[in-house]
């Protein structure tokens, strides 16, 4: 038998400010007290993933901004605003043209 490794490394709940994401990590984002920003890695490589979840069901009231950190998100040079209550998403990096793409969980 072999040991299974890999997968998402979930981090403690974040509640404020700008948090610099690390590839391979998942973030429980609590926007109860106000909108927060999660900044994507600045030098990603193909296949890098970052996940986030609406911890308290408040993204519709206080949005999560996913800052692109110089790379495209879904082919666009714009940050991603998440305003859907209970959203749970994973972004995977493809290349410098499309950048970070949403992945079905």
């Amino acid at each position: 038998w072999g040991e299974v490794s890999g997968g998402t490394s979930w981090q403690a709940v974040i509640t404020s400010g700008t948090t610099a994401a690390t590839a391979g990590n998942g973030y429980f984002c609590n926007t109860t007290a106000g909108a927060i920003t999660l900044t994507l890695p600045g030098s990603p490589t193909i296949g890098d993933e970052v996940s986030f979840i609406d911890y308290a069901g408040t993204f519709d009231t206080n949005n999560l901004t996913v800052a692109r950190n110089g790379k495209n998100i879904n082919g666009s040079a714009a940050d991603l605003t998440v305003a859907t209550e209970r959203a749970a998403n994973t972004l995977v990096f493809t290349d410098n043209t499309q950048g970070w793409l949403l992945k079905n969980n």
Side-chain angles (χ1 to χ4, degrees):
W1 300 98
E3 183 178 324
V4 176
S5 63
T8 303
S9 176
W10 289 97
Q11 305 302 299
V13 176
I14 59 173
T15 58
S16 65
T18 300
T19 299
T22 301
N25 286 351
Y27 298 88
F28 298 103
C29 302
N30 183 352
T31 62
T32 301
I36 61 175
T37 299
L38 180 66
T39 303
L40 293 169
S43 298
T45 58
I46 190 168
D48 282 353
E49 294 185 359
V50 173
S51 298
F52 57 87
I53 292 178
D54 183 0
Y55 171 82
T58 54
F59 282 4
D60 58 334
T61 304
N62 297 312
N63 303 156
L64 171 69
T65 298
V66 180
R68 65 189 194 91
N69 203 4
K71 302 294 182 183
N72 288 342
I73 298 176
N74 290 329
S76 176
D79 293 339
L80 174 65
T81 300
V82 184
T84 303
E85 182 180 327
R86 294 292 181 196
N89 294 297
T90 297
L91 293 169
V92 60
F93 187 78
T94 57
D95 57 29
N96 287 328
T97 302
Q98 293 300 313
W100 296 93
L101 298 178
L102 287 170
K103 172 184 168 183
N104 288 334
N105 287 330

